[in-house]
Amino acid sequence: MVTSELLYLGFLGAVSLERLAELFISRRNARRAFAKGGVEVGQGHFRVMALMHTAFLAACALEVGALDRPFPELVGLAALLVALLAQGLRYWVIATLGEQWNVRIIVVPGAAPVSGGPYRYLRHPNYAAVIVEMVAIPMIHGAWLTALVFSALNAAVLHVRIRAEEEALGPSYAARMGGLPRLVPARRPAPERPSAP
């Protein structure tokens, strides 16, 4: 008999395979970036981030199995929908960045900042997707403890990561993208109307 727990483990397996595919794309893009003179920064925190993401998927499975978390029905279905939307945002980011997309921070000198796709609205849409996933993926099957712990860990890692990335991207990035919110879309102020004479 197929249970909700087995379906959830299958979903986690699919997410794991997707992450492996992303690593393949990232390595290919890294080789191309280095061939163009790309420079990598943030190697220290990258190792911590990679370990955290691996542990995250394992913790989702472990909490559901070891603590016998039940499928939370409407909450679980809503979380699944939100997780799938976050995946859609990830794919939009990858498609928009093309060869510039990477899980590492590799800056190619002279490369213009990407400002299309989701980058019209946010400076870091990929990290916004990750934040949503850290809550939604565990909550699909009621793993609220994993959602809390890994959301806190992710916030700490992203605090370091975003600062390192924006510093590495330099003044041209700051000039072009600095007016956008980092992670949460905000309503743009309405243009000022000229005052009557």
Side-chain angles (χ1 to χ4, degrees):
M1 179 178 170
V2 177
T3 64
S4 63
E5 189 172 327
L6 282 175
L7 290 171
Y8 182 61
L9 292 175
F11 175 79
L12 293 177
V15 171
S16 299
L17 290 175
E18 177 192 44
R19 297 297 184 262
L20 289 173
E22 288 174 5
L23 286 176
F24 175 81
I25 294 167
S26 176
R27 286 185 183 135
R28 182 196 64 198
N29 290 346
R31 284 194 299 272
R32 291 174 178 171
F34 289 136
K36 295 175 184 174
V39 177
E40 183 176 4
V41 299
Q43 294 95 323
H45 78 257
F46 174 72
R47 290 184 195 95
V48 173
M49 188 175 77
L51 180 62
M52 181 192 69
H53 280 270
T54 302
F56 167 70
L57 291 173
C60 287
L62 188 61
E63 181 176 350
V64 168
L67 299 181
D68 199 25
R69 299 290 194 215
F71 176 65
E73 298 184 6
L74 289 178
V75 170
L77 292 173
L80 176 61
L81 176 61
V82 170
L84 294 174
L85 290 172
Q87 292 299 308
L89 179 56
R90 274 173 96 83
Y91 295 142
W92 192 15
V93 166
I94 292 169
T96 300
L97 290 178
E99 288 186 9
Q100 291 186 52
W101 181 81
N102 210 293
V103 296
R104 295 151 67 183
I105 302 173
I106 303 172
V107 179
V108 176
V114 173
S115 57
Y119 292 91
R120 289 175 292 185
Y121 312 105
L122 294 174
R123 278 186 267 173
H124 300 286
N126 191 64
Y127 301 144
V130 170
I131 289 167
V132 170
E133 287 172 343
M134 288 284 175
V135 176
I137 290 175
M139 290 307 297
I140 291 170
H141 214 289
W144 59 267
L145 188 57
T146 298
L148 283 175
V149 170
F150 281 88
S151 290
L153 292 172
N154 187 50
V157 169
L158 285 183
H159 177 73
V160 174
R161 171 86 171 183
I162 288 172
R163 188 167 40 185
E165 187 170 310
E166 290 187 348
E167 187 176 313
L169 289 168
S172 64
Y173 169 84
R176 188 160 189 176
M177 305 293 285
L180 291 175
R182 280 192 172 101
L183 298 167
V184 179
R187 197 169 156 201
R188 295 181 185 220
E192 290 185 23
R193 295 181 182 177
S195 55

mmCIF file with all atom_site columns, all heavy atoms in Angstrom, residues 35-47:
data_model
loop_
_atom_site.group_PDB
_atom_site.id
_atom_site.type_symbol
_atom_site.label_atom_id
_atom_site.label_alt_id
_atom_site.label_comp_id
_atom_site.label_asym_id
_atom_site.label_entity_id
_atom_site.label_seq_id
_atom_site.pdbx_PDB_ins_code
_atom_site.Cartn_x
_atom_site.Cartn_y
_atom_site.Cartn_z
_atom_site.occupancy
_atom_site.B_iso_or_equiv
_atom_site.pdbx_formal_charge
_atom_site.auth_seq_id
_atom_site.auth_comp_id
_atom_site.auth_asym_id
_atom_site.auth_atom_id
_atom_site.pdbx_PDB_model_num
ATOM 1  N N   . ALA A 1 35 ? 37.171 29.941 -17.567 1.00 0.00 ? 35 ALA A N   1
ATOM 2  C CA  . ALA A 1 35 ? 37.831 30.111 -18.861 1.00 0.00 ? 35 ALA A CA  1
ATOM 3  C C   . ALA A 1 35 ? 37.784 31.572 -19.317 1.00 0.00 ? 35 ALA A C   1
ATOM 4  O O   . ALA A 1 35 ? 38.636 32.017 -20.100 1.00 0.00 ? 35 ALA A O   1
ATOM 5  C CB  . ALA A 1 35 ? 37.183 29.212 -19.908 1.00 0.00 ? 35 ALA A CB  1
ATOM 6  N N   . LYS A 1 36 ? 36.792 32.329 -18.825 1.00 0.00 ? 36 LYS A N   1
ATOM 7  C CA  . LYS A 1 36 ? 36.680 33.752 -19.172 1.00 0.00 ? 36 LYS A CA  1
ATOM 8  C C   . LYS A 1 36 ? 37.340 34.654 -18.130 1.00 0.00 ? 36 LYS A C   1
ATOM 9  O O   . LYS A 1 36 ? 37.118 35.860 -18.131 1.00 0.00 ? 36 LYS A O   1
ATOM 10 C CB  . LYS A 1 36 ? 35.201 34.135 -19.294 1.00 0.00 ? 36 LYS A CB  1
ATOM 11 C CG  . LYS A 1 36 ? 34.476 33.433 -20.429 1.00 0.00 ? 36 LYS A CG  1
ATOM 12 C CD  . LYS A 1 36 ? 32.995 33.776 -20.397 1.00 0.00 ? 36 LYS A CD  1
ATOM 13 C CE  . LYS A 1 36 ? 32.227 33.017 -21.466 1.00 0.00 ? 36 LYS A CE  1
ATOM 14 N NZ  . LYS A 1 36 ? 30.775 33.237 -21.363 1.00 0.00 ? 36 LYS A NZ  1
ATOM 15 N N   . GLY A 1 37 ? 38.097 34.056 -17.214 1.00 0.00 ? 37 GLY A N   1
ATOM 16 C CA  . GLY A 1 37 ? 38.774 34.848 -16.189 1.00 0.00 ? 37 GLY A CA  1
ATOM 17 C C   . GLY A 1 37 ? 37.972 35.028 -14.916 1.00 0.00 ? 37 GLY A C   1
ATOM 18 O O   . GLY A 1 37 ? 38.294 35.905 -14.104 1.00 0.00 ? 37 GLY A O   1
ATOM 19 N N   . GLY A 1 38 ? 36.957 34.227 -14.723 1.00 0.00 ? 38 GLY A N   1
ATOM 20 C CA  . GLY A 1 38 ? 36.128 34.344 -13.524 1.00 0.00 ? 38 GLY A CA  1
ATOM 21 C C   . GLY A 1 38 ? 36.909 34.128 -12.241 1.00 0.00 ? 38 GLY A C   1
ATOM 22 O O   . GLY A 1 38 ? 37.860 33.355 -12.205 1.00 0.00 ? 38 GLY A O   1
ATOM 23 N N   . VAL A 1 39 ? 36.483 34.839 -11.205 1.00 0.00 ? 39 VAL A N   1
ATOM 24 C CA  . VAL A 1 39 ? 37.124 34.758 -9.894  1.00 0.00 ? 39 VAL A CA  1
ATOM 25 C C   . VAL A 1 39 ? 36.072 34.297 -8.886  1.00 0.00 ? 39 VAL A C   1
ATOM 26 O O   . VAL A 1 39 ? 34.960 34.829 -8.852  1.00 0.00 ? 39 VAL A O   1
ATOM 27 C CB  . VAL A 1 39 ? 37.688 36.134 -9.472  1.00 0.00 ? 39 VAL A CB  1
ATOM 28 C CG1 . VAL A 1 39 ? 38.295 36.075 -8.077  1.00 0.00 ? 39 VAL A CG1 1
ATOM 29 C CG2 . VAL A 1 39 ? 38.703 36.630 -10.488 1.00 0.00 ? 39 VAL A CG2 1
ATOM 30 N N   . GLU A 1 40 ? 36.451 33.293 -8.065  1.00 0.00 ? 40 GLU A N   1
ATOM 31 C CA  . GLU A 1 40 ? 35.514 32.771 -7.066  1.00 0.00 ? 40 GLU A CA  1
ATOM 32 C C   . GLU A 1 40 ? 35.795 33.383 -5.706  1.00 0.00 ? 40 GLU A C   1
ATOM 33 O O   . GLU A 1 40 ? 36.943 33.550 -5.302  1.00 0.00 ? 40 GLU A O   1
ATOM 34 C CB  . GLU A 1 40 ? 35.624 31.248 -6.973  1.00 0.00 ? 40 GLU A CB  1
ATOM 35 C CG  . GLU A 1 40 ? 34.630 30.649 -5.995  1.00 0.00 ? 40 GLU A CG  1
ATOM 36 C CD  . GLU A 1 40 ? 34.642 29.139 -5.954  1.00 0.00 ? 40 GLU A CD  1
ATOM 37 O OE1 . GLU A 1 40 ? 35.485 28.518 -6.631  1.00 0.00 ? 40 GLU A OE1 1
ATOM 38 O OE2 . GLU A 1 40 ? 33.795 28.572 -5.237  1.00 0.00 ? 40 GLU A OE2 1
ATOM 39 N N   . VAL A 1 41 ? 34.718 33.696 -4.995  1.00 0.00 ? 41 VAL A N   1
ATOM 40 C CA  . VAL A 1 41 ? 34.819 34.164 -3.608  1.00 0.00 ? 41 VAL A CA  1
ATOM 41 C C   . VAL A 1 41 ? 33.835 33.349 -2.763  1.00 0.00 ? 41 VAL A C   1
ATOM 42 O O   . VAL A 1 41 ? 32.946 32.689 -3.293  1.00 0.00 ? 41 VAL A O   1
ATOM 43 C CB  . VAL A 1 41 ? 34.498 35.675 -3.469  1.00 0.00 ? 41 VAL A CB  1
ATOM 44 C CG1 . VAL A 1 41 ? 35.481 36.513 -4.269  1.00 0.00 ? 41 VAL A CG1 1
ATOM 45 C CG2 . VAL A 1 41 ? 33.068 35.972 -3.905  1.00 0.00 ? 41 VAL A CG2 1
ATOM 46 N N   . GLY A 1 42 ? 34.019 33.411 -1.446  1.00 0.00 ? 42 GLY A N   1
ATOM 47 C CA  . GLY A 1 42 ? 33.064 32.773 -0.538  1.00 0.00 ? 42 GLY A CA  1
ATOM 48 C C   . GLY A 1 42 ? 33.159 31.272 -0.447  1.00 0.00 ? 42 GLY A C   1
ATOM 49 O O   . GLY A 1 42 ? 32.191 30.606 -0.082  1.00 0.00 ? 42 GLY A O   1
ATOM 50 N N   . GLN A 1 43 ? 34.351 30.695 -0.731  1.00 0.00 ? 43 GLN A N   1
ATOM 51 C CA  . GLN A 1 43 ? 34.477 29.241 -0.702  1.00 0.00 ? 43 GLN A CA  1
ATOM 52 C C   . GLN A 1 43 ? 34.200 28.672 0.688   1.00 0.00 ? 43 GLN A C   1
ATOM 53 O O   . GLN A 1 43 ? 33.646 27.582 0.819   1.00 0.00 ? 43 GLN A O   1
ATOM 54 C CB  . GLN A 1 43 ? 35.873 28.797 -1.161  1.00 0.00 ? 43 GLN A CB  1
ATOM 55 C CG  . GLN A 1 43 ? 36.178 29.106 -2.613  1.00 0.00 ? 43 GLN A CG  1
ATOM 56 C CD  . GLN A 1 43 ? 36.933 30.414 -2.800  1.00 0.00 ? 43 GLN A CD  1
ATOM 57 O OE1 . GLN A 1 43 ? 36.689 31.391 -2.097  1.00 0.00 ? 43 GLN A OE1 1
ATOM 58 N NE2 . GLN A 1 43 ? 37.845 30.444 -3.761  1.00 0.00 ? 43 GLN A NE2 1
ATOM 59 N N   . GLY A 1 44 ? 34.597 29.397 1.736   1.00 0.00 ? 44 GLY A N   1
ATOM 60 C CA  . GLY A 1 44 ? 34.418 28.901 3.097   1.00 0.00 ? 44 GLY A CA  1
ATOM 61 C C   . GLY A 1 44 ? 32.959 28.704 3.460   1.00 0.00 ? 44 GLY A C   1
ATOM 62 O O   . GLY A 1 44 ? 32.551 27.627 3.915   1.00 0.00 ? 44 GLY A O   1
ATOM 63 N N   . HIS A 1 45 ? 32.146 29.728 3.229   1.00 0.00 ? 45 HIS A N   1
ATOM 64 C CA  . HIS A 1 45 ? 30.729 29.593 3.590   1.00 0.00 ? 45 HIS A CA  1
ATOM 65 C C   . HIS A 1 45 ? 29.999 28.687 2.602   1.00 0.00 ? 45 HIS A C   1
ATOM 66 O O   . HIS A 1 45 ? 28.973 28.105 2.942   1.00 0.00 ? 45 HIS A O   1
ATOM 67 C CB  . HIS A 1 45 ? 30.038 30.964 3.710   1.00 0.00 ? 45 HIS A CB  1
ATOM 68 C CG  . HIS A 1 45 ? 29.691 31.580 2.409   1.00 0.00 ? 45 HIS A CG  1
ATOM 69 N ND1 . HIS A 1 45 ? 30.415 32.605 1.851   1.00 0.00 ? 45 HIS A ND1 1
ATOM 70 C CD2 . HIS A 1 45 ? 28.685 31.330 1.535   1.00 0.00 ? 45 HIS A CD2 1
ATOM 71 C CE1 . HIS A 1 45 ? 29.880 32.958 0.696   1.00 0.00 ? 45 HIS A CE1 1
ATOM 72 N NE2 . HIS A 1 45 ? 28.835 32.191 0.480   1.00 0.00 ? 45 HIS A NE2 1
ATOM 73 N N   . PHE A 1 46 ? 30.530 28.513 1.383   1.00 0.00 ? 46 PHE A N   1
ATOM 74 C CA  . PHE A 1 46 ? 29.875 27.629 0.421   1.00 0.00 ? 46 PHE A CA  1
ATOM 75 C C   . PHE A 1 46 ? 29.852 26.189 0.943   1.00 0.00 ? 46 PHE A C   1
ATOM 76 O O   . PHE A 1 46 ? 28.856 25.479 0.804   1.00 0.00 ? 46 PHE A O   1
ATOM 77 C CB  . PHE A 1 46 ? 30.552 27.682 -0.948  1.00 0.00 ? 46 PHE A CB  1
ATOM 78 C CG  . PHE A 1 46 ? 29.986 26.677 -1.911  1.00 0.00 ? 46 PHE A CG  1
ATOM 79 C CD1 . PHE A 1 46 ? 28.726 26.857 -2.453  1.00 0.00 ? 46 PHE A CD1 1
ATOM 80 C CD2 . PHE A 1 46 ? 30.686 25.520 -2.223  1.00 0.00 ? 46 PHE A CD2 1
ATOM 81 C CE1 . PHE A 1 46 ? 28.169 25.910 -3.316  1.00 0.00 ? 46 PHE A CE1 1
ATOM 82 C CE2 . PHE A 1 46 ? 30.143 24.573 -3.076  1.00 0.00 ? 46 PHE A CE2 1
ATOM 83 C CZ  . PHE A 1 46 ? 28.888 24.770 -3.629  1.00 0.00 ? 46 PHE A CZ  1
ATOM 84 N N   . ARG A 1 47 ? 30.946 25.760 1.562   1.00 0.00 ? 47 ARG A N   1
ATOM 85 C CA  . ARG A 1 47 ? 30.996 24.396 2.100   1.00 0.00 ? 47 ARG A CA  1
ATOM 86 C C   . ARG A 1 47 ? 29.923 24.203 3.172   1.00 0.00 ? 47 ARG A C   1
ATOM 87 O O   . ARG A 1 47 ? 29.269 23.169 3.233   1.00 0.00 ? 47 ARG A O   1
ATOM 88 C CB  . ARG A 1 47 ? 32.391 24.116 2.672   1.00 0.00 ? 47 ARG A CB  1
ATOM 89 C CG  . ARG A 1 47 ? 33.459 23.994 1.611   1.00 0.00 ? 47 ARG A CG  1
ATOM 90 C CD  . ARG A 1 47 ? 34.814 23.625 2.216   1.00 0.00 ? 47 ARG A CD  1
ATOM 91 N NE  . ARG A 1 47 ? 35.870 23.851 1.248   1.00 0.00 ? 47 ARG A NE  1
ATOM 92 C CZ  . ARG A 1 47 ? 36.604 24.970 1.189   1.00 0.00 ? 47 ARG A CZ  1
ATOM 93 N NH1 . ARG A 1 47 ? 36.406 25.937 2.054   1.00 0.00 ? 47 ARG A NH1 1
ATOM 94 N NH2 . ARG A 1 47 ? 37.542 25.098 0.286   1.00 0.00 ? 47 ARG A NH2 1
#
